[in-house]
Amino acid sequence: MKKILLSLIAAVSITSCAFGPYLTYNVGLSNVEAPADAKTQYGDTKIIKLDVEGKANYKYEDAYIDIMWIVT
């Protein structure tokens, strides 16, 4: 009986973590701070919004770096 009770408590504890508040966030990339001579050094910069599987992802690129943010 004690084993069944402990199993039941463990099952309830594990499954109760799956239910809770559902939150959504609106994340965006609007600008990138760089030194004053960055344009001379790294060329033009681009911020690109990509739509992947209905989620907004962002990509920043210049002659030095090409990076993509993926929100999961």
Side-chain angles (χ1 to χ4, degrees):
M1 184 67 172
K2 188 175 182 181
K3 203 178 224 183
I4 294 172
L5 183 60
L6 288 176
S7 298
L8 183 61
I9 290 171
V12 169
S13 297
I14 292 170
T15 58
S16 66
C17 294
F19 303 103
Y22 179 76
L23 303 173
T24 58
Y25 296 96
N26 186 7
V27 178
L29 177 64
S30 61
N31 66 5
V32 175
E33 292 183 20
D37 66 343
K39 195 168 206 158
T40 307
Q41 220 172 3
Y42 306 121
D44 290 331
T45 61
K46 296 181 214 168
I47 297 175
I48 304 164
K49 182 179 177 183
L50 306 168
D51 227 359
V52 179
E53 297 176 4
K55 294 181 181 176
N57 297 303
Y58 291 87
K59 184 175 183 178
Y60 170 83
E61 57 183 57
D62 61 20
Y64 180 70
I65 192 169
D66 186 350
I67 190 166
M68 186 164 97
W69 282 265
I70 300 173
V71 180
T72 58

